Amino acid sequence: MRIAFLILLVVHSFIHSLGFIEAFKLASIKVLTLPISKLMGIFWLVALFLLLYAAVLLAFKNSYWLLYGSFGIIISQIAIYYSWQGAKFGTIANIIILLAIISSYAVWSFNNRYKTEVRQSFKQIDTHSVSLLTENNIDYLPEPVKKYLHYTKSVGRPKIGNFRVEFRGKIRKNNQSEWMTFTSEQNNFIETSRRLFFMNATMKHMPVAGFHSFKNGHAFMDIRLLSLFKVQYQSGKEMGKAETVTFFNDMCCLAPATLIDKRIKWLETNGNQVKASFTNNNITITAWLHFNDKGELINFVSNDRYAFEKENVMKKIPWETPLKNYRGVNGYKLASYAEAIYKYPEGDLVYGVFNISSVQYNCNMPE
């Protein structure tokens, strides 16, 4: 689709050379039956360069193509208007380009909202003062948790203040829905309790984007078709508590070194299972962490997360994220595969499958 649009943009831009050639009598253009003034010839030439430059910027994924493309179709349409009899069909191309600009601007604007919040979050943290995680730091932890920290190679490495992770996977609404493939990026900030997640998915060949924002106990989820039309929006108290569970889950699964956080209380140990609570901004959630004998975290189970029911009503449903396929990721040993499951009375709903593409720790502000 993108390549086809690029071809259209390039071809449409070069067609504008005909108006310039006719205006300056460089050749006879039979399709343009009415004479074109030299002033209008300049319009045709300017439209050519604007649209062609927009195509080059688009090819290199530079968002400024939207600006040059917009000016290009305005100049183009003025030129077409004054040569309507022979050039009116160029309006169809301009309409297609305009629709693409509107759609692309919506994508850029929605994604830029996420990027702006990420940059603002980086301004609130210190990315330079990082000390190492030592044996003394983890001495008080339950034995399965200490074993997990050693297994993941977290001990002896820098403590984690923030991290960025990219996923690829698939999601669905319920067991009857088709899977939607997705890629995503998220940034977590431990001290300020922020989790910013942006997803690009495909539903029935149509692009769907999702922005999850969790900031110190306050959260919203905004899902949009074509980044323009809201498919689902959710916020409120239940959403804040649900995303607190997700934030703690991220700490456990993606950043084990953060398990020394003072907001975590280790409540109970039963063999390789450990119960913990996490309290942030007067919201307390609990979860059971399940480990195997090797020291791998193999499941995270909580009864404090909410699921969406009919008419966007949220209901508390047992939730778990089984983990497997541990491998080296940026110097650590992490589970590279996870599922997200709601445990309904009538049966399990596996609604998300996540595969790690990359993880970076103690990141600097993106450019």
Side-chain angles (χ1 to χ4, degrees):
M1 183 71 75
R2 182 170 173 271
I3 294 174
F5 178 72
L6 262 174
I7 293 172
L8 169 67
L9 195 54
V10 170
V11 171
H12 185 55
S13 67
F14 276 115
I15 288 175
H16 287 77
S17 65
L18 301 180
F20 174 76
I21 292 171
E22 173 65 23
F24 286 86
K25 306 304 179 184
L26 301 177
S28 177
I29 309 298
K30 294 182 179 180
V31 295
L32 299 174
T33 56
L34 296 178
I36 298 177
S37 69
K38 289 186 177 180
L39 176 60
M40 280 296 105
I42 297 298
F43 270 68
W44 284 83
L45 185 64
V46 170
L48 184 158
F49 285 122
L50 286 172
L51 293 171
L52 186 60
Y53 190 52
V56 172
L57 292 174
L58 176 60
F60 286 95
K61 299 182 179 180
N62 187 316
S63 59
Y64 276 100
W65 87 268
L66 298 168
L67 180 63
Y68 287 93
S70 298
F71 284 127
I73 62 172
I74 290 172
I75 301 298
S76 169
Q77 198 57 39
I78 292 173
I80 289 171
Y81 176 79
Y82 283 97
S83 300
W84 185 255
Q85 191 62 37
K88 57 186 176 183
F89 291 108
T91 301
I92 297 174
N94 281 339
I95 291 173
I96 294 172
I97 295 169
L98 176 62
L99 293 175
I101 287 172
I102 293 171
S103 176
S104 298
Y105 177 78
V107 171
W108 174 85
S109 178
F110 194 38
N111 184 258
N112 194 57
R113 183 182 175 191
Y114 158 75
K115 290 181 177 179
T116 298
E117 290 211 17
V118 170
R119 287 192 290 268
Q120 291 174 347
S121 298
F122 269 103
K123 292 178 182 179
Q124 300 179 19
I125 65 171
D126 182 1
T127 58
H128 301 290
S129 58
V130 178
S131 58
L132 298 181
L133 183 70
T134 67
E135 293 287 351
N136 288 336
N137 296 139
I138 70 171
D139 185 61
Y140 71 98
L141 297 175
E143 287 301 322
V145 180
K146 287 196 287 186
K147 190 174 182 179
Y148 176 54
L149 289 175
H150 280 288
Y151 180 82
T152 56
K153 301 182 180 180
S154 300
V155 181
R157 292 182 179 273
K159 297 175 182 176
I160 295 173
N162 72 82
F163 62 92
R164 181 182 299 120
V165 58
E166 294 180 352
F167 290 109
R168 55 180 175 80
K170 57 184 182 179
I171 58 171
R172 60 180 176 175
K173 185 177 181 180
N174 53 48
N175 285 322
Q176 290 72 47
S177 302
E178 293 183 9
W179 286 102
M180 295 191 298
T181 59
F182 77 88
T183 59
S184 68
E185 176 188 288
Q186 76 179 60
N187 282 265
N188 287 48
F189 303 87
I190 304 305
E191 185 177 349
T192 56
S193 303
R194 291 192 171 204
R195 178 183 185 268
L196 304 169
F197 174 95
F198 196 89
M199 173 194 72
N200 287 299
T202 303
M203 179 177 67
K204 296 181 179 179
H205 306 291
M206 298 288 285
V208 176
F211 179 23
H212 291 232
S213 173
F214 172 79
K215 294 189 288 188
N216 199 28
H218 303 283
F220 69 78
M221 179 188 70
D222 190 353
I223 308 296
R224 300 188 183 190
L225 179 66
L226 302 172
S227 295
L228 191 60
F229 306 103
K230 286 190 177 182
V231 176
Q232 187 172 27
Y233 184 89
Q234 196 72 38
S235 63
K237 181 179 177 181
E238 292 85 0
M239 189 70 185
K241 188 165 187 178
E243 289 300 300
T244 300
V245 176
T246 307
F247 184 78
F248 182 47
N249 177 267
D250 285 344
M251 293 171 66
C252 296
C253 304
L254 299 170
T258 63
L259 295 182
I260 62 170
D261 194 292
K262 300 304 180 184
R263 292 168 292 182
I264 303 171
K265 303 298 182 186
W266 302 101
L267 305 176
E268 183 180 346
T269 300
N270 182 11
N272 283 335
Q273 299 178 19
V274 181
K275 186 179 182 181
S277 68
F278 178 76
T279 302
N280 181 73
N281 196 17
N282 297 317
I283 299 173
T284 298
I285 60 93
T286 61
W288 278 96
L289 279 61
H290 297 243
F291 302 91
N292 61 19
D293 291 336
K294 291 193 293 185
E296 297 173 338
L297 176 63
I298 56 174
N299 206 356
F300 175 103
V301 180
S302 177
N303 292 324
D304 291 324
R305 206 171 187 280
Y306 289 78
F308 300 104
E309 299 294 308
K310 294 181 180 179
E311 299 179 355
N312 278 346
V313 174
M314 298 189 74
K315 182 179 179 181
K316 191 181 288 188
I317 301 291
W319 183 75
E320 64 179 42
T321 58
L323 308 158
K324 63 181 181 180
N325 297 347
Y326 276 75
R327 62 176 176 85
V329 180
N330 199 16
Y332 294 83
K333 196 169 185 180
L334 302 175
S336 62
Y337 175 93
E339 295 177 348
I341 303 174
Y342 280 118
K343 308 286 288 186
Y344 286 98
E346 61 271 22
D348 293 354
L349 167 61
V350 181
Y351 71 90
V353 174
F354 298 81
N355 295 277
I356 288 179
S357 298
S358 67
V359 185
Q360 295 175 298
Y361 298 100
N362 298 324
C363 310
N364 294 316
M365 183 184 296
E367 297 180 0

